[in-house]
Amino acid sequence: MNRLVLAMALAALLVPGAALAQSGAGDDAAPLQARLRALDADPERAPLAAYERLRARQALDALAGTRGTQARADARQVAEWRLATAEIAAATELARRQIDRLDRERSELLVEASRQDAARARAEAERLRIQAQIQAEEAERLRLEAEMESGARQRAEGALDDVARTQADRLRAARAREAELKRQEAELLKSLED
């Protein structure tokens, strides 16, 4: 494919150059014509800088029709400037398009990076939510266990208090009975002595 394009460009360069040589236009326009054809044949730059290429083509046509040494030198200078302007304009527009494409790619990459950051943040938030839920459930379990232990301790203390009260009541009753028996014994002894 590159050979075909090269052959076509070479043919395009040779045919007008030969016509110019035959018409007596001179060799000074041929390199400029070749540069313009190369610009037109470049698939990336061909659709760019149409106005500047038109002005360069008009300058080359004016050069072909110019007679006289000084007038021809001036026309060649103008044609060179116009052609250089067309080449620079095409290169500038191509660079601008590439910059725009790169800016779009950069924006797309930034958007994708933002999406990935947001997805990571959502995943981290979900992980933290689950972790907090697990911690809350564990705290609730420990609270319930503590309440159960507290209740069991209170019941045990209540049972111990009940046992202690019962024992204290029995002890009081036994002492009261002992005191009563001593009193009765003393009365019996007194009645026996009398």
Side-chain angles (χ1 to χ4, degrees), residues 181-194:
L181 288 174
K182 280 185 182 179
R183 187 187 61 74
Q184 287 177 1
E185 181 184 355
E187 285 179 3
L188 278 173
L189 284 175
K190 188 176 183 182
S191 67
L192 285 174
E193 288 176 1
D194 290 337

Side-chain angles (χ1 to χ4, degrees), residues 130-167:
I130 290 171
Q131 184 178 359
Q133 183 178 353
I134 291 170
Q135 288 175 345
E137 289 172 359
E138 180 65 13
E140 180 64 15
R141 185 185 65 78
L142 291 173
R143 187 188 64 77
L144 289 174
E145 284 180 6
E147 284 180 4
M148 289 171 57
E149 286 178 13
S150 176
R153 187 179 310 112
Q154 287 175 354
R155 285 190 299 276
E157 288 173 358
L160 287 174
D161 287 346
D162 289 346
V163 167
R165 260 192 307 276
T166 303
Q167 291 297 326

Side-chain angles (χ1 to χ4, degrees), residues 96-151:
R96 188 174 293 121
R97 287 184 180 187
Q98 289 173 344
I99 288 169
D100 290 344
R101 180 181 54 80
L102 290 173
D103 279 345
R104 282 191 303 275
E105 287 177 10
R106 179 181 175 274
S107 296
E108 289 169 5
L109 289 173
L110 288 173
V111 167
E112 182 59 28
S114 295
R115 284 187 190 133
Q116 290 176 359
D117 285 346
R120 279 193 295 273
R122 281 192 300 274
E124 179 65 12
E126 180 64 13
R127 185 187 69 77
L128 291 173
R129 185 192 67 77
I130 290 171
Q131 184 178 359
Q133 183 178 353
I134 291 170
Q135 288 175 345
E137 289 172 359
E138 180 65 13
E140 180 64 15
R141 185 185 65 78
L142 291 173
R143 187 188 64 77
L144 289 174
E145 284 180 6
E147 284 180 4
M148 289 171 57
E149 286 178 13
S150 176

